[in-house]
Amino acid sequence: MTTGRLYDIQGFSVQDGPGIRTTAFLKGCPLRCPWCHSPESQAFYKQLSWMSMRCLGLDACRSRCINACPKGAIEEGEKRTDVATGDELRMVHVKRDLCDNCGACVDKCYAEALTLCGKDYTPEELVARLLQDKNFFDTSGGGVTISGGEPLSQIDFVEAVLKGLKENGIHVALDTTGFAPWESLERTLPYVDLYLYDLKHMDSAKHEATVGVPNERIKENAKLLAEAGKSLQVRIPVIPMFNDDEENIRATAEFCAKLGEAVVLVQLLPYHNMGVMKYLRISDGKPLEATPPSDEKMEKLRDLMASYGLNVTIH
Ligand code: SF4
Ligand code: SF4
């Protein structure tokens, strides 16, 4: 049986296509963007998540999760003072190098400070869940957005879900890095109304040095989608010192302009650093730390891209 792995389903989404949408986030991505604000989207496997805010830090409770771990990966951690009672609490610390994400500790945690990130669905289960929000789609001109991670990495599952949604008359958007075999994208053509298509850098060597894969396939797939008559909403994360220079923005604008009427909108997404806490939940790592671009800078880049005849917004 085909199943797919998700890390989240978000209702009332107004950022991922027209109207009110429900966005299904699939787990796993072949890229490693250092600015990623959803680090839990990157790995294909289920991951232990520990939220410090929820950790009760009581002696009896702490022994439950520490003793449950067959790898000895949970140890006593930092002290914290309870703001309500003034009691001293001691949280736990997960030794990531020992944890194999088995999940044995999760059921022992009453507070749900420990959870496993990643849930498997059959296509039928996911379609049924998404259809629960159909009234919102119908009244707002919205629909479903399949996002990730990189959804095309789970193409058998995604194709079945897209087909199920279309059979129910749902407007469907697919949010993709474009880094997938054309044969995978081609299988989505009959069902997808709008592609949310990421472009990160026009120079392939710089693209590969920063996110781990070159960009030729991404650019080629964008051209093939345009030739197939599909609509693209191009999304460009604006990352300081990576892709925010005039040369790259001009090259990106030229590329989009050549795709013609296929590009219905270009969205500039300014870098932000709101994903830091998510990194700490699943790893000891940290995201890129940079200063978000100013409003003036974003407006300048928007105007530059718009001068190529493109419809450009700042997200
Ligand atoms: S992780 Fe859960 S079980 Fe362990 S000490 Fe914190 S709240 Fe208690
Ligand atoms: S997921 Fe498994 S290995 Fe990791 S801390 Fe929990 S019990 Fe230990």
Side-chain angles (χ1 to χ4, degrees), residues 50 54-58 61-62 64-65 92 108-111 113-114:
W50 177 70
R54 288 193 185 161
C55 181
L56 301 176
L58 304 170
C61 166
R62 201 167 58 241
R64 286 171 59 87
C65 61
V92 294
K108 304 293 178 191
C109 180
Y110 301 125
L114 292 162

Side-chain angles (χ1 to χ4, degrees), residues 234 236 238 249 253 256 263-269 298-315:
V234 172
I236 303 168
V238 176
I249 293 295
C256 291
V263 177
V264 293
L265 181 66
V266 176
Q267 285 182 306
L268 298 176
L269 293 81
M298 292 303 301
E299 284 159 13
K300 198 174 152 205
L301 298 183
R302 177 196 60 199
D303 294 346
L304 181 57
M305 290 204 80
S307 71
Y308 286 76
L310 298 162
N311 179 19
V312 189
T313 60
I314 299 169
H315 196 51

Side-chain angles (χ1 to χ4, degrees), residues 148-163:
E150 175 45 68
L152 295 170
S153 296
Q154 301 186 52
I155 184 60
D156 291 342
F157 173 74
V158 165
E159 184 181 29
V161 171
L162 295 175
K163 191 164 182 281

Side-chain angles (χ1 to χ4, degrees), residues 217-269:
R217 188 189 294 180
I218 295 167
K219 291 198 280 188
E220 183 61 19
N221 282 341
K223 286 181 199 162
L224 291 170
L225 283 177
E227 283 168 24
K230 304 307 288 189
S231 296
L232 277 73
Q233 186 169 313
V234 172
R235 310 227 270 194
I236 303 168
V238 176
I239 311 300
M241 310 297 287
F242 169 59
N243 64 357
D244 63 341
D245 56 286
E246 184 174 332
E247 183 186 351
N248 180 60
I249 293 295
R250 280 193 184 280
T252 310
E254 272 169 30
F255 179 81
C256 291
K258 279 187 192 154
L259 296 177
E261 289 179 0
V263 177
V264 293
L265 181 66
V266 176
Q267 285 182 306
L268 298 176
L269 293 81

Side-chain angles (χ1 to χ4, degrees), residues 161-292:
V161 171
L162 295 175
K163 191 164 182 281
L165 292 170
K166 264 295 150 233
E167 283 168 359
N168 284 279
I170 305 295
H171 179 280
V172 179
L174 182 76
D175 182 11
T176 177
T177 65
F179 189 76
W182 168 247
E183 292 70 28
S184 297
L185 258 176
E186 199 173 24
R187 287 167 63 181
T188 69
L189 294 180
Y191 315 113
V192 174
D193 301 288
L194 177 68
Y195 289 86
L196 307 179
Y197 204 92
D198 297 356
L199 290 179
K200 302 179 203 307
H201 206 295
M202 284 296 108
D203 182 291
S204 190
K206 287 182 183 163
H207 194 278
E208 184 166 12
T210 301
V211 307
V213 302
N215 70 9
E216 285 82 2
R217 188 189 294 180
I218 295 167
K219 291 198 280 188
E220 183 61 19
N221 282 341
K223 286 181 199 162
L224 291 170
L225 283 177
E227 283 168 24
K230 304 307 288 189
S231 296
L232 277 73
Q233 186 169 313
V234 172
R235 310 227 270 194
I236 303 168
V238 176
I239 311 300
M241 310 297 287
F242 169 59
N243 64 357
D244 63 341
D245 56 286
E246 184 174 332
E247 183 186 351
N248 180 60
I249 293 295
R250 280 193 184 280
T252 310
E254 272 169 30
F255 179 81
C256 291
K258 279 187 192 154
L259 296 177
E261 289 179 0
V263 177
V264 293
L265 181 66
V266 176
Q267 285 182 306
L268 298 176
L269 293 81
Y271 161 84
H272 63 75
N273 47 19
M274 289 187 282
V276 178
M277 291 309 291
K278 289 188 178 179
Y279 278 79
L280 297 177
R281 284 180 205 162
I282 58 157
S283 71
D284 293 328
K286 279 189 179 171
L288 173 86
E289 286 184 53
T291 306

Side-chain angles (χ1 to χ4, degrees), residues 81-136:
T81 304
D82 188 308
V83 282
T85 63
D87 291 345
E88 191 171 86
L89 308 170
R90 187 183 284 279
M91 297 185 293
V92 294
H93 172 250
V94 179
K95 292 190 267 187
R96 295 287 168 181
D97 53 334
L98 296 182
C99 174
D100 66 1
N101 300 293
C102 73
C105 56
V106 168
D107 289 346
K108 304 293 178 191
C109 180
Y110 301 125
E112 296 185 359
L114 292 162
T115 55
L116 262 194
C117 176
K119 185 174 174 193
D120 295 341
Y121 291 79
T122 64
E124 295 75 21
E125 285 169 342
L126 182 58
V127 170
R129 161 62 192 88
L130 296 169
L131 288 177
Q132 288 173 7
D133 300 340
K134 190 170 184 300
N135 282 349
F136 295 110

Side-chain angles (χ1 to χ4, degrees), residues 14-46:
V14 290
Q15 315 278 356
D16 296 323
I20 297 174
R21 311 188 71 79
T22 298
T23 303
F25 294 93
L26 275 73
K27 196 155 163 47
C29 183
L31 277 64
R32 286 292 176 271
C33 303
W35 58 83
C36 181
H37 57 259
S38 299
E40 71 276 33
S41 72
Q42 294 184 338
F44 288 90
Y45 52 83
K46 294 181 183 178

